[in-house]
Amino acid sequence: MATNPVNSIAPSSRRKRADALRVLAMDAVQQARSGHPGMPMGMADIAEVLWNDFLRHNPANPAWPDRDRFVLSNGHGSMLLYGLLHLSGYPLTMDDLRAFRQFGSRTAGHPEYDPQIGIETTTGPLGQGITNAVGMALAEKRLAAEFNRSGHEIVDHYTYVFLGDGCLMEGISHEACSLAGTWQLGKLICLYDDNGISIDGDVAGWFTDDTPARFRAYGWHVIADVDGHDPDAVRAAIEAARATADRPSLICCKTIIGFGAPNKQGSEATHGAPLGDDEIAAARKALDWDAPPFVIPAAIAESWDATDAGQAAEQQWRQRYAAYAAEYPDLAAEFERRNAGTLPDNWTTFADDAVAGIAAAGETVATRKASLIALNAFAPALPELLGGSADLTGSNLTHHAGSRLISGADAGGNYVSYGVREFAMAAIMNGLALHGGSIPYGGTFLTFSDYSRNALRMAALMGIRVVHVFTHDSIGLGEDGPTHQPIEQVASLQLVPNMRVWRPCDAVETAVAWRDALETDTGPTSLVLSRQNLPHQPRTEAQLASIRRGGYVLHEVDDPELILIATGSEVAPAMAAAAALAGAGRRVRVVSMPCAAAFLAQDEAWRESVLPAAVDRRIAIEAGATGLWYRFVGLQGQVIGLDRFGESAPAGELFEHFGFTPENIVAQALRLLEKD
């Protein structure tokens, strides 16, 4: 794949293009009275070379499938990205730049995923951008292995990353970059802003890693000591990185933070605060920049515009793609479907039949096993599924019958062994989803969702489809003890906006939860699954159809006087308690609520039909933190839960000790019913 033509403008003019980025950054930060001018000013020369000489993109079509991806991992320097997008011709106006960090603006303090204007991912939490990029590069390699044919390379693009000291200090970068080397992601090229400064000052006091040696140990191609203010040196380094096909590349660029600000450059004073009017005036003089704030001289602006070159690059690809589609029409149709993120045309019928089959089987199994049953049912229709586990495949049961491991030598599989790297797994999954063409899912124990937490939050913030399989969901995992027994994790996941959390009670609810996760393309899903076997719950056709609503009546009585609300493994004892209470002449409805978010999204009529206001005596039962259940039972209701850590003992003993038994539910119900 050829690079863009070498820009023929003089070095001094090239510097002026970089200076355009510098002045936009310092002017926008000054106007906002907050922001980070130092990194954009320090990396401007590197950005100018990459975006004008190498990056294949089309501002007129930011969604072009074979575009190069650009990730600003050090996202605090967001004005660098906004300046690049504006100058290159994306629909990001100068007024948008003037509104930097203001309410309702597209130029937020840190880049927020916005594919319409070319922002490939949300960055700012350091280390996650590079990790997303690892996922993007893995997606490119996998799709190339799946769809390319001899003479027809329709998937052939690079993932470029800017990152800084902060990204490399974060532990997630170690997890992800180790995997990138193992997977031999030769089209991943990272440019490291090695300026030696972070918020607290000179990093020599807390970051003395031999970064080039570290990355060589990962199996990366490393180019050290590049002058980040010498365009020729930067260009030569990128060319060398692109010529290395079997390893990702790290280009270590020596830069000066705040380059061009004569009194503050090279210091933390430029990192996270406006330069001030006096320093900006001095910088303008030092850069020989006469234009007023937010004005780019026409000649410089025109030299930045990438619209024509981008359209030409995409058109060349379209011509190659047309030849590919003529020879491989079925592959082309599948490629287009996958990139559009749509499910197969026959999906609804296929999924209906799969769920019905699982319901008819009526198996008593752990819901982690039920998850595997659902995967085996759904996976044949969904080649885009890309699974994995953080070294717990045999426990999470995420390896379905058609799974094949991805390796550095063979990217054509559909299963990833992430190793003990929960955070990296979650953020790489985000990158896979952002790239397009895959529906990623990954597994670990529920208690270790805490390791992944910020990546889960980023998936929800971006509204992307990733599926987290969290098994061993309660004290029911038993003898491993309180270090592994989740208590607050379900509740904490439910607190994340735009996160759907399913805790199914049997194989049927598990299958429906999986289906909902696969069909929900507006945010992530957490599937919370048991280690222990759970009994099948018989249902009518209407009840089966109601599971997708998140909460429904599983056991009905005439004129109920009390409602038991349960989830997951606690549904079975609730059903047994309702039966015992019926024998005592009590009228008890049982509501299964596998997904509170889905239930709360229903209309008022449905919510009232399940939890009528007139029945205010309610008990919620879940082997976890109690707080969120009070929104369903009210102050006059009760929650049988767990607001303390567990113990190391067999699961049955723990459930009895902590009161998750039919007998205790009956006792609590009678006490509540007998209140005046």
Side-chain angles (χ1 to χ4, degrees):
M1 179 170 54
T3 66
N4 294 346
V6 177
N7 201 297
S8 59
I9 66 172
S12 59
S13 298
R14 181 155 225 165
R15 173 57 59 82
K16 284 297 183 185
R17 286 204 302 212
D19 289 344
L21 295 170
R22 293 186 172 98
V23 297
L24 285 175
M26 64 185 187
D27 288 343
V29 170
Q30 186 66 24
Q31 176 151 309
R33 296 293 188 266
S34 71
H36 300 75
M39 185 281 269
M41 297 176 74
M43 294 196 79
D45 296 304
I46 304 167
E48 190 278 327
V49 172
L50 176 63
W51 278 63
N52 284 296
D53 291 2
F54 294 98
L55 195 72
R56 292 173 66 249
H57 63 118
N58 183 4
N61 181 18
W64 168 29
D66 202 40
R67 69 190 181 279
D68 290 338
R69 270 61 170 180
F70 175 75
V71 175
L72 191 77
S73 190
N74 42 354
H76 54 273
S78 56
M79 264 310 303
L80 178 64
L81 178 57
Y82 301 145
L84 287 163
L85 294 171
H86 168 73
L87 291 169
S88 296
Y90 286 84
L92 196 68
T93 67
M94 191 63 82
D95 285 341
D96 290 321
L97 271 57
R98 289 179 182 272
F100 178 57
R101 287 184 164 230
Q102 304 310 299
F103 182 78
S105 169
R106 302 184 91 172
T107 51
H110 293 84
E112 296 181 12
Y113 174 53
D114 191 343
Q116 294 181 343
I117 58 172
I119 302 177
E120 300 282 4
T121 182
T122 297
T123 56
L126 294 175
Q128 288 199 62
I130 170 59
T131 309
N132 293 165
V134 170
M136 293 175 187
L138 178 61
E140 191 276 344
K141 187 171 182 178
R142 181 193 179 218
L143 292 171
E146 185 173 358
F147 286 101
N148 287 352
R149 295 295 182 268
S150 179
H152 296 280
E153 294 188 348
I154 62 164
V155 181
D156 185 14
H157 54 266
Y158 286 84
T159 300
Y160 295 101
V161 186
F162 280 7
L163 71 162
D165 292 308
C167 291
L168 295 180
M169 283 186 252
E170 288 285 0
I172 189 175
S173 73
H174 295 256
E175 298 180 21
C177 294
S178 172
L179 282 169
T182 298
W183 292 334
Q184 301 173 21
L185 300 179
K187 289 184 177 175
L188 175 64
I189 298 176
C190 300
L191 294 111
Y192 165 35
D193 183 27
D194 185 8
N195 61 36
I197 298 293
S198 68
I199 293 176
D200 283 353
D202 189 333
V203 301
W206 51 87
F207 186 51
T208 58
D209 299 16
D210 185 340
T211 296
R214 167 187 158 190
F215 275 78
R216 290 187 187 105
Y218 291 152
W220 284 53
H221 169 227
V222 178
I223 305 172
D225 297 320
V226 174
D227 183 347
H229 301 297
D230 180 346
D232 291 336
V234 173
R235 180 181 174 83
I238 296 174
E239 287 177 334
R242 288 166 58 95
T244 304
D246 61 342
R247 289 172 291 164
S249 291
L250 179 72
I251 302 172
C252 302
C253 299
K254 294 291 185 180
T255 62
I256 299 171
I257 190 171
F259 183 92
N263 303 303
K264 293 187 176 183
Q265 68 179 17
S267 77
E268 66 272 19
T270 69
H271 177 93
L275 297 180
D277 293 333
D278 291 344
E279 185 68 4
I280 288 176
R284 276 185 149 75
K285 183 176 180 180
L287 297 171
D288 191 24
W289 188 273
D290 297 328
F294 299 104
V295 174
I296 304 299
I300 296 174
E302 289 170 6
S303 72
W304 263 108
D305 192 340
T307 304
D308 290 345
Q311 289 176 330
E314 181 177 350
Q315 183 58 34
Q316 291 173 3
W317 179 82
R318 295 280 174 196
Q319 292 172 355
R320 298 199 310 274
Y321 182 77
Y324 173 84
E327 190 165 348
Y328 302 103
D330 292 342
L331 277 175
E334 178 66 8
F335 178 77
E336 292 172 20
R337 179 189 73 79
R338 297 265 291 274
N339 275 284
T342 58
L343 299 176
D345 291 340
N346 65 342
W347 169 253
T348 299
T349 300
F350 183 93
D352 285 344
D353 291 345
V355 172
I358 291 170
E363 291 188 73
T364 291
V365 293
T367 51
R368 63 170 176 159
K369 177 64 180 297
S371 172
L372 179 59
I373 293 170
L375 272 171
N376 280 324
F378 293 140
L382 298 172
E384 59 263 51
L385 276 178
L386 180 54
S389 175
D391 204 46
L392 289 168
T393 293
S395 294
N396 300 147
L397 302 181
T398 44
H399 193 278
H400 62 77
S403 295
R404 183 163 69 88
L405 187 66
I406 285 176
S407 68
D410 180 10
N414 58 3
Y415 194 84
V416 177
S417 288
Y418 287 99
V420 187
R421 300 181 179 95
E422 295 88 356
F423 194 3
M425 176 177 70
I428 287 170
M429 287 165 58
N430 290 349
L432 288 163
L434 289 163
H435 180 280
S438 301
I439 299 177
Y441 69 90
T444 188
F445 289 177
L446 175 60
T447 193
F448 300 142
S449 64
D450 291 341
Y451 284 138
S452 307
R453 181 57 179 247
N454 204 256
L456 300 176
R457 186 173 186 270
M458 290 301 101
L461 180 61
M462 291 187 281
I464 54 177
R465 176 168 47 190
V466 294
V467 184
H468 293 274
V469 180
F470 294 128
T471 68
H472 297 60
D473 68 341
S474 71
I475 56 172
L477 73 86
E479 294 86 345
D480 277 342
T483 60
H484 284 52
Q485 293 167 0
I487 300 297
E488 73 279 16
Q489 280 74 19
V490 172
S492 71
L493 289 170
Q494 289 174 330
L495 289 172
V496 180
N498 200 37
M499 170 72 75
R500 291 171 83 87
V501 181
W502 284 86
R503 187 168 182 250
C505 75
D506 66 359
V508 180
E509 285 189 358
T510 305
V512 173
W514 256 111
R515 179 178 182 176
D516 184 78
L518 294 169
E519 293 178 359
T520 299
D521 61 0
T522 55
T525 298
S526 292
L527 302 177
V528 178
L529 308 171
S530 74
R531 178 195 185 194
Q532 71 274 27
N533 287 343
L534 304 182
H536 169 72
Q537 301 294 336
R539 296 174 181 83
T540 65
E541 288 295 320
Q543 287 173 319
L544 180 61
S546 297
I547 296 173
R548 282 291 292 271
R549 292 179 177 263
Y552 64 102
V553 178
L554 182 61
H555 172 69
E556 183 62 297
V557 294
D558 293 333
D559 190 23
E561 56 183 329
L562 180 141
I563 300 175
L564 299 178
I565 310 167
T567 180
S569 54
E570 288 68 70
V571 169
M575 291 288 283
L581 287 163
R586 294 297 188 170
R587 305 180 308 279
V588 178
R589 169 186 287 186
V590 178
V591 169
S592 177
M593 192 173 289
C595 183
F599 177 73
L600 292 170
Q602 302 304 310
D603 57 42
E604 183 179 353
W606 178 262
R607 298 196 305 270
E608 172 66 17
S609 73
V610 175
L611 297 176
V615 186
D616 60 1
R617 297 190 182 192
R618 305 174 184 177
I619 299 176
I621 310 110
E622 183 172 56
T626 62
L628 296 181
W629 283 108
Y630 285 100
R631 64 185 167 182
F632 297 114
V633 301
L635 293 178
Q636 67 275 31
Q638 185 176 342
V639 180
I640 300 174
L642 202 58
D643 289 320
R644 55 150 290 182
F645 295 118
E647 300 284 350
S648 181
E653 293 181 24
L654 292 173
F655 278 112
E656 183 173 358
H657 175 75
F658 288 112
F660 299 104
T661 62
E663 293 78 14
N664 184 53
I665 298 170
V666 167
Q668 300 300 326
L670 290 173
R671 188 174 295 115
L672 186 61
L673 286 166
E674 290 165 2
K675 283 184 178 180
D676 292 335

